[in-house]
Amino acid sequence: MTVSDLMRALLQDSYGEARDVLAFDDIPVPEPGEGEVRVRVHAAALNAADVYIMRGRPTIGRLAFGLPRPRQPIRGQDLAGVVDAVGPGVTRLSVGDRVAAEGDGALAEYACLKEALPVRVAASLPLAEAAAVPLAGVTALQAVRVGGVRSGHRVLVNGAAGGVGSFAVQLAAANGAEVTGVCGARNAETVLSLGAARVIDYAAEDFVGTGPYDVVVDLAGNRTLRELRTALAPDGTLVLSSGNGTPMMGPLWRNAAASLTSPLTGRRLRPLLARTSRDEVGYLFSRIARGDLRPLIGRTYPFEEAVEALAHVSEGHARGKVVVTLREE
Ligand SMILES: NC(=O)c1ccc[n+]([C@@H]2O[C@H](COP(=O)([O-])OP(=O)(O)OC[C@H]3O[C@@H](n4cnc5c(N)ncnc54)[C@H](OP(=O)(O)O)[C@@H]3O)[C@@H](O)[C@H]2O)c1
């Protein structure tokens, strides 16, 4: 197959807000290097992480994202599409494979990825749904595992309506837990439909006094460690998986304080830095195929409106996953 020399991509060359720093441009289609495949991108799903990198916040993150601008200029980290070229040494994937992956540069017509990253997508799973799974789905899976969520547990998910939360509620409920989801009123029905036993509207009620909970999964990052601890049962587990925190350091101090004080409290305070693995994405796909998990896609945008999609996620009130469609299947 031949492709034209140029592709459309959403690029940024300075840190800031979506409408100020993102712009489309035509750039060379990348060639897959040794051990890489090139994916013709059909769908990209957005994450809170895209917003952190776009804004360069927390500022300490710029040491990793790039100084004085993002090292990887193309935003987007979750994608699904079809392999259209393979580099030397690639053995696991072939041209024509439908795949999804957490991989940089998703908001472009083509992306080159290490062969180890993409997971095959069954014909029954639309690529837009597959794109929604890797980063958020695996984070939720690891949060539920780190929390040791099991049958009979009372579990609270703070931030239940978002990308990670919508997976976490389903996974915890599927483990037999009684799940309470904290979300805005407009998302209450949605969170109940995912398997939560009850919801708490954060604008109307403070969840801190509603426990005790065996496991609290904090995705909102808007409460102090002390408040979150108060909501826990004496032998409960707190999973800290929010990237929110101070503009300079993000959640760093809170996570450090959790690790240091955990042995003194009798409770387990566990910061989570999720790492997406191919096996776990494949496991989530198998659960979706079995019908006991579904990606919740709150909004879909065409590629031309990707800036608006990122502006929407930046507001911090996305329902489930936000997906950008680059091509119809
Ligand atoms: N540890 C890791 O490795 C890892 C990996 C992925 C993500 N994360 C973190 O997980 C968090 C969630 O990510 P995401 O992708 O799910 O974000 P998202 O899709 O943008 O979701 C944001 C959600 O937060 C909810 N929210 C806003 N204010 C709230 C409040 N005061 N109380 C409770 N919920 C509130 C919103 O619900 P309403 O619309 O109802 O307000 C919205 O659904 C982020 O902080 C991200 O950094 C961590």
Side-chain angles (χ1 to χ4, degrees):
M1 177 182 288
T2 57
V3 295
S4 95
D5 293 343
L6 294 179
M7 68 170 186
R8 206 140 183 75
L10 188 65
L11 301 159
Q12 81 174 104
D13 68 0
S14 60
Y15 289 113
E17 294 300 321
R19 295 183 189 102
D20 299 330
V21 300
L22 298 176
F24 285 100
D25 202 355
D26 293 329
I27 60 172
V29 173
E31 285 302 321
E34 174 88 28
E36 287 185 344
V37 298
R38 185 172 66 204
V39 178
R40 194 171 66 233
V41 181
H42 283 246
L46 305 184
N47 291 283
D50 297 316
V51 178
Y52 298 137
I53 300 173
M54 183 181 77
R55 289 177 169 157
R57 288 287 162 88
T59 317
I60 193 172
R62 295 186 190 200
L63 296 175
F65 311 150
L67 281 170
R69 61 182 64 86
R71 214 168 284 124
Q72 161 58 274
I74 308 173
R75 292 283 57 76
Q77 280 184 268
D78 271 335
L79 62 86
V82 177
V83 174
D84 92 313
V86 299
V90 168
T91 54
R92 199 179 60 81
L93 294 170
S94 311
V95 169
D97 285 348
R98 297 170 86 245
V99 294
E102 182 188 334
D104 284 346
L107 287 166
E109 290 180 290
Y110 295 87
C112 285
L113 305 172
K114 296 263 175 249
E115 183 193 20
L117 295 176
V119 182
R120 280 203 186 77
V121 178
S124 57
L125 183 62
L127 289 172
E129 291 186 31
V133 174
L135 202 159
V138 169
T139 301
L141 184 66
Q142 293 183 3
V144 165
R145 285 214 187 113
V146 167
V149 174
R150 57 173 193 269
S151 186
H153 266 169
R154 296 152 299 176
V155 174
L156 180 121
V157 179
N158 186 28
V164 178
S166 58
F167 281 111
V169 168
Q170 295 181 71
L171 293 167
N175 280 7
E178 182 190 288
V179 180
T180 300
V182 182
C183 59
R186 73 183 181 94
N187 288 322
E189 284 304 320
T190 303
V191 172
L192 289 169
S193 78
L194 297 172
R198 68 172 175 146
V199 290
I200 294 175
D201 168 8
Y202 56 73
E205 188 180 358
D206 182 357
F207 72 79
V208 170
T210 63
Y213 296 96
D214 300 298
V215 181
V216 171
V217 176
D218 180 39
L219 304 167
N222 59 337
R223 307 307 295 256
T224 65
L225 208 48
R226 188 192 187 95
E227 289 169 333
L228 293 167
R229 244 183 9 228
T230 307
L232 279 181
D235 60 348
T237 303
L238 169 63
V239 183
L240 292 164
S241 182
S242 172
N244 296 331
T246 64
M248 179 70 89
M249 302 302 277
L252 214 69
W253 295 136
R254 194 174 71 143
N255 288 352
S259 298
L260 288 171
T261 58
S262 182
L264 313 172
T265 64
R267 298 160 171 91
R268 285 172 291 276
L269 313 179
R270 299 275 187 264
L272 170 69
L273 189 58
R275 301 197 63 170
T276 304
S277 78
R278 205 172 70 211
D279 285 352
E280 286 171 310
V281 177
Y283 169 72
L284 293 172
F285 283 167
S286 68
R287 290 187 62 160
I288 293 169
R290 283 207 304 274
D292 66 6
L293 185 69
R294 68 178 164 103
L296 173 70
I297 297 181
R299 283 197 193 179
T300 304
Y301 291 80
F303 190 29
E304 312 83 77
E305 293 174 21
V307 174
E308 289 311 305
L310 268 154
H312 172 61
V313 175
S314 305
E315 287 162 9
H317 296 285
R319 174 184 290 155
K321 296 299 301 175
V322 172
V323 171
V324 174
T325 309
L326 289 95
R327 286 182 181 85
E328 295 301 328
E329 276 199 81

